Amino acid sequence: MEIRKGWRADLDPKIQVVRELVGQYGARLLAAGGVFAELAATSGPEHWAADGVHPTPAGHAALAAAWLRLVD
């Protein structure tokens, strides 16, 4: 889990920039981390992203469904 803390230290500033751009341009944001956190709370994270980063087929399907709900 220590390596994931390093990922967050690198990733969080980038997420912040994306959020600022979303606000600036009125874009829609699919907060994938939140989607995966909710899913993982009920079934475990490995089902959705086996290595903690890259989505499994189920993870890709969940993201696609979330995107469709967002833009519908």
Side-chain angles (χ1 to χ4, degrees), residues 2-67:
E2 195 62 35
I3 192 167
R4 291 186 183 179
K5 290 181 184 177
W7 294 346
R8 294 308 309 199
D10 177 63
L11 189 57
D12 286 346
K14 295 171 184 167
I15 291 171
Q16 184 58 38
V17 169
V18 170
R19 290 182 183 280
E20 290 170 9
L21 290 169
V22 164
Q24 183 177 346
Y25 291 99
R28 295 183 185 188
L29 174 67
L30 175 60
V35 171
F36 282 123
E38 287 181 29
L39 294 169
T42 60
S43 62
E46 295 80 14
H47 180 73
W48 308 104
D51 64 359
V53 176
H54 302 95
T56 62
H60 282 289
L63 285 175
W67 175 253

